[in-house]
Every structure is written in C-alpha cells, then in structure tokens.
C-alpha cells in the first residue's frame, strides 16, 4: 500500500515564478495535501500501482479538439478563456473573479459541499524537507495540459494520494489525503516527500484539486474507520469517479465555443 521514494533531501522538481501575493495560498495548498504522481501509463481496473489499488481505468485528458463533456454534464470556461473543464449538471461552479490576479474557482456538489478548487497564477517551488509513508490510490497522465502550455516541465498527472500513517478516524497534521494535478516525478521507496499538487500553466502555475474530507466527501463504511482506510474506500465511489472525471477533463479553453467565466451548459452524449 506504500509507494517508494527518492534519496532524502531531493528538491521537488516543479519550479514556477509568479506574483508574490499568491505565495501564501501555495504554501497552504502544499501543507494541506499535494505531490508526485507516477510516470508511465495508466493502471487498468484491479491492477495495483506501487502496492496501491487503482479503483478504475483512468481516462487521460485528450487534446482540446477531442474533449467533450459526458452526457448530462456542463462545461465551465475560466474568465480569461484559457482553461475549461466539465462537471456534473447537479454540481455548482462559483467564480468570484479577479482573486490574486488569477482564477479562483470553487466547485460544490449537489449538497453544496466544497469538492474542489481551481487556482491560477500562483507560485510553486518547494524543498523536500522530510519524508513520510505514502499511498497512491489513483493516477493518470493529462497530456492536454502539457500541449496547452505546461509542456516545458513534462506531462502533468492527475493523482489521488496520501501522506502519513496515523490510525485516527480524521485527518491529522501528519496524515492527509488529496486529489489534484502534479508535475513532480514518481517517488521510489517506502517514504515520499510532501504532496505538491501544482502544475505549470502560463504565466506561472496552477492548482485544480481538493483535500479528502470524510465530512464533505461521502464515504461508505464505519465512520470510526481510520482516515486512510476511508480514503481507500472513497476511491471506489461514484462521487470520486465524478471528481476524477472532472479534474482530468481540464484542458486549454476555447473562448470561441464557450462564454468565458460561466457554465456553458454544453451537454453531449458519450
């Protein structure tokens, strides 16, 4: 259930410069749960990756021309028209606009609970100051983001992973799980650097993901189960699959086909 790690003290490989005002947000994201995804292909259903079960066959994000929302889903395009993603029709996307000089989008499920956030124009860059036990529940490459402007640092990856091994029923300061997009290479060993879910996107970096929270993320099983066991169970739920499909649908936007900053309501069958 653990993934391997590199030599101690290795610096994380994602480095991007942006406005200093965004630094606090990036540090917060990094401390809440964000990092490396394994290279190579996608895991098929039932296969394991580094000892962690991959709950479903990943669907990599294709080129913008190939990306279409699932039946009954809508498409959201950021205010500047640079990025777009698909989301379930029953969910809500809120974009106050102008925050930190970039996009500041929040996604809520049908119950109004926060599921994920999209932030752009943020700073990245961190050192591996300590390693901890980790698990990877799911991973998939996101080629469209590399093609759209993040290619200098390699192909970004979607990942759902955790750090720490506390047995508590809730997240702790040292044990947390999160899903998002990363550009940090695969670790190898029994320990890993802190999670760092940020990817290169002009003019600096971006984040699209969320921290796993059993109070927000509907999880089957006994509420008293250890937090990491809940995260493993959550990876097999329909809600998680919708989150995964939404995040991996992120792609360069096409303002000519969508009204920037608003859900387009586009719905096509698959």
């Amino acid at each position: 259930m653990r993934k391997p790690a590199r030599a101690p003290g290795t610096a994380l490989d994602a480095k991007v410069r942006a406005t200093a005002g965004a630094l606090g947000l990036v540090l917060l994201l990094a401390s809440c749960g964000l990092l490396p995804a394994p290279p190579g292909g996608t895991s098929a259903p039932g296969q394991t990756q580094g000892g962690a079960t991959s709950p479903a066959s990943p669907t990599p994000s294709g080129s913008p021309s190939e990306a279409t929302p699932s039946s009954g889903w809508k498409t959201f395009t950021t205010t500047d028209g640079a990025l777009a993603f698909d989301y379930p029709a029953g969910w809500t996307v809120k974009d106050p606009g102008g925050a930190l000089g970039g996009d500041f989008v929040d996604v809520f499920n049908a119950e109004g609970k926060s599921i994920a956030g999209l932030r752009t124009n943020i700073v990245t860059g961190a050192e591996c100051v300590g390693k901890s036990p980790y698990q990877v529940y799911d991973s998939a490459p996101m080629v469209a983001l590399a093609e759209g402007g993040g290619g200098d640092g390699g192909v970004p990856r979607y990942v759902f992973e955790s750090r720490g091994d506390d047995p508590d029923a809730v997240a702790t300061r040292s044990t947390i799980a999160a899903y998002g997009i990363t550009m940090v290479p695969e670790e190898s060993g029994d320990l890993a650097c802190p999670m760092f879910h940020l990817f290169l996107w002009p003019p600096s970096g971006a984040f699209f993901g969320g921290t796993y929270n059993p109070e927000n993320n509907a999880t089957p099983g006994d509420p008293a189960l250890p937090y990491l066991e809940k995260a493993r169970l959550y990876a097999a739920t329909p809600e998680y699959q919708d989150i995964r499909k939404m995040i991996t649908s992120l792609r360069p936007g096409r303002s000519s086909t969508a009204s920037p900053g608003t859900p387009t309501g586009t719905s096509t069958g698959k």
Side-chain angles (χ1 to χ4, degrees), residues 165-264:
D165 57 2
D166 291 341
D168 305 59
V170 296
T172 66
R173 294 190 63 173
S174 60
T175 299
I176 197 161
Y179 40 82
I181 303 170
T182 184
M183 295 195 71
V184 181
E186 176 185 19
E187 296 271 355
S188 61
D190 294 327
L191 304 175
C193 296
M195 289 187 284
F196 200 70
H197 290 180
L198 293 169
F199 62 97
L200 295 172
W201 189 258
S204 50
F207 163 82
F208 190 26
T211 301
Y212 170 66
N213 179 357
E215 294 184 1
N216 281 355
N217 305 86
T219 308
D222 186 346
L225 285 172
Y227 172 80
L228 293 181
E229 176 64 14
K230 292 176 185 174
R232 185 187 66 79
L233 292 173
Y234 184 66
T237 64
E239 180 180 87
Y240 169 74
Q241 294 303 320
D242 281 346
I243 290 174
R244 182 190 196 285
K245 186 185 297 184
M246 175 182 70
I247 295 176
T248 57
S249 76
L250 187 68
R251 58 195 181 271
R254 292 179 293 172
S255 57
S256 61
T257 61
S259 176
T262 61
T264 65

Side-chain angles (χ1 to χ4, degrees), residues 29 32-35 137 158-163 176-180 195 197 207 209-212 227 231 240:
L29 295 176
C32 286
L34 334 175
L35 177 154
Y137 310 104
Y158 168 82
V159 67
F160 179 27
E161 60 185 345
S162 64
R163 292 293 181 276
I176 197 161
Y179 40 82
M195 289 187 284
H197 290 180
F207 163 82
T211 301
Y212 170 66
Y227 172 80
Y240 169 74

Side-chain angles (χ1 to χ4, degrees), residues 1-4 47-54 134-137 232:
M1 295 269 274
R2 301 268 170 83
K3 272 210 72 125
Q47 288 184 332
T48 59
Q49 201 163 44
T53 300
S54 177
Y134 72 116
Q135 299 180 37
V136 175
Y137 310 104
R232 185 187 66 79

Side-chain angles (χ1 to χ4, degrees), residues 101-113:
D103 293 292
F104 202 90
V105 178
D106 288 312
V107 183
F108 301 85
N109 64 13
E111 288 71 46
K113 294 181 178 180

